[in-house]
Amino acid sequence: MGEIDQIEDITGQGIDALTEPGARKAKFLIALAYIAKRREDPTFTRSQAEALTLAEVNAITGGDEEE
């Protein structure tokens, strides 16, 4: 639940709103990458997540570059 709270905090939206058509995805992807990287490196920061490229985020989250 704490990770969901972090996603909602970073995106400024409830988790349900993120799946709606037209929902902005950049902050959601940042949040996912941030949480995933923090699991392996507790010193990883949100700023570092924001600096990642889409390809890097997709490598971390297992996403598709076209998403």
Side-chain angles (χ1 to χ4, degrees), residues 10 26-27 30-31 33-34 44-53 57:
I10 291 169
K27 286 187 179 183
I30 290 167
Y34 171 70
F44 191 79
T45 67
R46 182 174 165 185
S47 294
Q48 288 174 293
E50 291 170 347
L52 295 170
T53 66
V57 169

Side-chain angles (χ1 to χ4, degrees), residues 29-65:
L29 293 172
I30 290 167
L32 288 180
Y34 171 70
I35 289 168
K37 289 295 283 183
R38 294 258 321 169
R39 288 179 178 174
E40 62 187 51
D41 177 6
T43 65
F44 191 79
T45 67
R46 182 174 165 185
S47 294
Q48 288 174 293
E50 291 170 347
L52 295 170
T53 66
L54 181 56
E56 291 168 328
V57 169
N58 286 326
I60 293 165
T61 64
D64 181 356
E65 195 164 328

Side-chain angles (χ1 to χ4, degrees), residues 1-31 35 46:
M1 294 304 298
E3 290 178 344
I4 291 172
D5 185 52
Q6 288 179 2
I7 290 170
E8 291 177 335
D9 185 52
I10 291 169
T11 63
Q13 300 182 67
I15 197 81
D16 292 340
L18 298 170
T19 60
E20 301 216 359
R24 295 178 63 182
K25 303 288 192 250
K27 286 187 179 183
F28 179 62
L29 293 172
I30 290 167
I35 289 168
R46 182 174 165 185

